[in-house]
Amino acid sequence: MKKFAFLVVVGLIFAGCFDLSKQHHMALNDENGIDTNYDASKKELKIAGLNEPFLLFFYSTDCVACMAQIPALNNIAKEYKDKIKVIGLMGGRSDDLNTQLSEFKKKGADFLTIANRKSVDYFSDVVGGVYGTPTTYVFSKNGEIKKRFLGLVPQSVIENEIKILL
């Protein structure tokens, strides 16, 4: 019994040493990736070094509507470069990095894109689940979800949401 109690105490100590709300995410097109911190009690997602609104764009490589959304998000990323960050979360059938890179290059996304399944699942959990693609979330600079779009959305509609936050 003493051995069991000791193991429980040691387990609790180690569990307290790891903060699962803080994560590092590798990107396909940025060697540094990004670091995030999610505060579940406030429902706020913070991205290290970012003090501006951001978009999370969930898409898959075999989704026609997703591919149609990419040019609008490329335009937004370029036009609002210093005012908002666009982050793509690419789901798909492959965990192979070479396959992911190949698909990413074919699709032409110019914004930061994360394809690691663990990271995509993390972001999906943060927003409460993603049940279809394309899905775009607009976050305030404080990391709060302000708007969710499911499906193909005109660039002007996303820009209107951005302008509200700026």
Side-chain angles (χ1 to χ4, degrees):
M1 185 61 162
K2 287 181 184 180
K3 199 176 203 180
F4 177 74
F6 174 76
L7 290 174
V8 170
V9 170
V10 169
L12 290 173
I13 290 170
F14 278 113
C17 293
F18 299 102
D19 185 355
L20 297 177
S21 64
K22 294 182 181 179
Q23 298 284 326
H24 178 74
H25 310 279
M26 296 184 328
L28 291 176
N29 54 341
D30 182 341
E31 64 185 35
N32 297 318
I34 60 171
D35 294 308
T36 59
N37 185 5
Y38 180 63
D39 184 335
S41 65
K42 295 180 183 177
K43 294 187 176 181
E44 291 178 348
L45 176 65
K46 302 284 187 171
I47 297 174
L50 189 66
N51 190 28
E52 58 206 34
F54 59 96
L55 302 178
L56 292 182
F57 172 57
F58 291 86
Y59 70 106
S60 64
T61 56
D62 55 355
C63 165
V64 175
C66 299
M67 298 306 101
Q69 189 71 65
I70 288 175
L73 294 173
N74 282 341
N75 291 340
I76 288 169
K78 188 181 293 183
E79 187 174 332
Y80 295 90
K81 184 178 182 178
D82 297 325
K83 298 177 183 174
I84 194 161
K85 180 90 169 171
V86 177
I87 301 168
L89 299 155
M90 185 174 77
R93 298 184 184 140
S94 177
D95 285 330
D96 177 62
L97 182 59
N98 289 328
T99 302
Q100 291 171 343
L101 281 168
S102 173
E103 288 297 318
F104 172 74
K105 288 177 182 175
K106 281 187 219 172
K107 304 309 178 190
D110 294 333
F111 42 83
L112 181 105
T113 297
I114 296 167
N116 175 280
R117 184 167 297 188
K118 182 179 175 187
S119 291
V120 173
D121 288 348
Y122 167 86
F123 285 103
S124 178
D125 290 345
V126 164
V127 299
V130 175
Y131 302 102
T133 58
T135 301
T136 305
Y137 288 87
V138 180
F139 285 78
S140 70
K141 71 178 185 176
N142 297 326
E144 300 170 274
I145 296 174
K146 292 299 183 181
K147 192 74 171 182
R148 180 188 72 155
F149 298 106
L150 179 58
L152 186 58
V153 181
Q155 181 175 331
S156 60
V157 173
I158 297 171
E159 286 179 323
N160 286 339
E161 291 301 320
I162 292 169
K163 290 174 185 174
I164 291 169
L165 296 174
L166 297 180

